[in-house]
Amino acid sequence: MRTAAFFDLDKTIIAKSSTLAFGRSFYQGGLINRRAVLKTAYAQFVYLVGGADHDQMERMRQYLSALCTGWDVGQVKEIVAETLHDLIDPLIYQEAADLIAEHKAAGRDVIIVSSSGAEVVEPIGELIGADKVVATRMVVADGRYTGEVEFYAYGDNKAAAIKALAEAEGYDLDGCYAYSDSATDLPMLELVGHPCAVNPDRTLRKEAAARDWPIEVFANPVSLRAKMASLSLPGKPVIAATALGVGTAAAAGIVWYARKKRS
């Protein structure tokens, strides 16, 4: 049977909250005011220092749902596409990039499972070469967010989505891997045969130690674009392309770099 590696996104693959990272870009695009920028910056700080428990995640969900009510979906996607590489590319952990490459080289699908919105997570998934993405989906009417949540990719919902995906794709969950930093992802980690705590919060660290799960520390954010530019790739790198083109090039670069590193 097929196997897959399921990755949480924030503080597991990248060194920040993916949604909050776009606060200044949304301000420059006219979607939020200066006060909201400061509030998202503070939320980012709190998230990085102390992680996020269930209550904090719920408050963040409510805040972001209210904040984006009425936003034009096309404009959000355009802002994310234009600023993705400047904002997210330098935040990708070297250790995560290597691990993703190893799983892909072993023939496993790589799947991001994140509570951040699909409009943010899907382009990041393309950037790092993920095969599939599970993310929060907002309700859209007439091209704008209503403020309601269609699917919240959090806690038990993550586990349910993974079960459904495993059934649809034929994944053997006992042979699958999962990585997360948060105790709120315990339902996801418990599903697979190879769970791993990455940069774990206090609660997850205790759980991982009690269950004899491996604990990893990812601490080296690097720019995939800079890494690829420093390597002797054949021909002209496609790194100058935009949107999906850059994502495809970066994904290929991750795998190529990992193989070169091992040889």
Side-chain angles (χ1 to χ4, degrees):
M1 295 179 69
R2 300 170 62 200
T3 56
F6 300 94
F7 285 82
D8 177 45
L9 179 59
D10 302 343
K11 295 176 71 176
T12 302
I13 293 179
I14 64 174
K16 285 187 177 182
S17 162
S18 51
T19 299
L20 298 177
F22 288 92
R24 184 166 297 277
S25 298
F26 291 151
Y27 167 71
Q28 293 171 343
L31 294 176
I32 60 177
N33 57 29
R34 184 177 295 275
R35 181 180 179 183
V37 173
L38 295 175
K39 192 168 183 177
T40 55
Y42 175 73
Q44 183 77 263
F45 170 76
V46 172
Y47 178 75
L48 291 175
V49 171
D53 59 20
H54 174 78
D55 291 339
Q56 290 171 323
M57 288 293 292
E58 181 60 22
R59 287 196 296 271
M60 188 180 298
R61 181 193 67 79
Q62 294 174 352
Y63 169 68
L64 293 174
S65 296
L67 186 67
C68 74
T69 300
W71 286 6
D72 182 274
V73 178
Q75 184 181 6
V76 172
K77 291 182 177 180
E78 183 178 344
I79 291 173
V80 171
E82 289 177 350
T83 59
L84 173 71
H85 303 285
D86 290 335
L87 290 176
I88 301 300
D89 180 69
L91 300 176
I92 298 172
Y93 286 121
Q94 168 79 66
E95 299 91 340
D98 290 344
L99 190 57
I100 288 168
E102 289 174 10
H103 281 300
K104 292 183 77 69
R108 300 185 190 97
D109 285 352
V110 171
I111 301 166
I112 296 178
V113 188
S114 172
S115 59
S116 293
E119 291 77 11
V120 169
V121 181
E122 288 174 357
I124 295 175
E126 176 69 25
L127 175 67
I128 67 171
D131 297 283
K132 296 177 180 64
V133 162
V134 174
T136 295
R137 299 189 303 272
M138 302 294 292
V139 176
V140 176
D142 298 324
R144 296 182 180 274
Y145 298 114
T146 67
E148 298 176 342
V149 178
E150 178 183 351
F151 172 75
Y152 188 30
Y154 171 78
D156 290 332
N157 287 345
K158 280 190 177 184
I162 290 173
K163 285 181 182 177
L165 192 58
E167 184 175 346
E169 297 293 333
Y171 297 137
D172 174 15
L173 288 175
D174 287 338
C176 288
Y177 295 72
Y179 303 88
S180 178
D181 70 293
S182 174
T184 61
D185 281 338
L186 277 170
M188 175 178 82
L189 294 170
E190 291 169 343
L191 272 183
V192 301
H194 304 280
C196 180
V198 175
N199 299 337
D201 59 29
R202 185 178 303 175
T203 303
L204 180 57
R205 182 176 291 276
K206 289 181 179 179
E207 286 289 335
R211 303 181 192 214
D212 200 27
W213 290 350
I215 298 174
E216 298 288 347
V217 175
F218 292 176
N220 184 30
V222 296
S223 169
L224 296 179
R225 181 163 49 182
K227 179 192 295 184
M228 289 178 65
S230 69
L231 298 174
S232 301
L233 290 172
K236 290 185 177 180
V238 195
I239 205 66
T242 57
L244 299 184
V246 178
T248 303
I254 289 175
V255 177
W256 183 88
Y257 174 79
R259 288 174 178 169
K260 180 179 177 69
K261 187 177 179 182
R262 289 196 298 268
S263 62

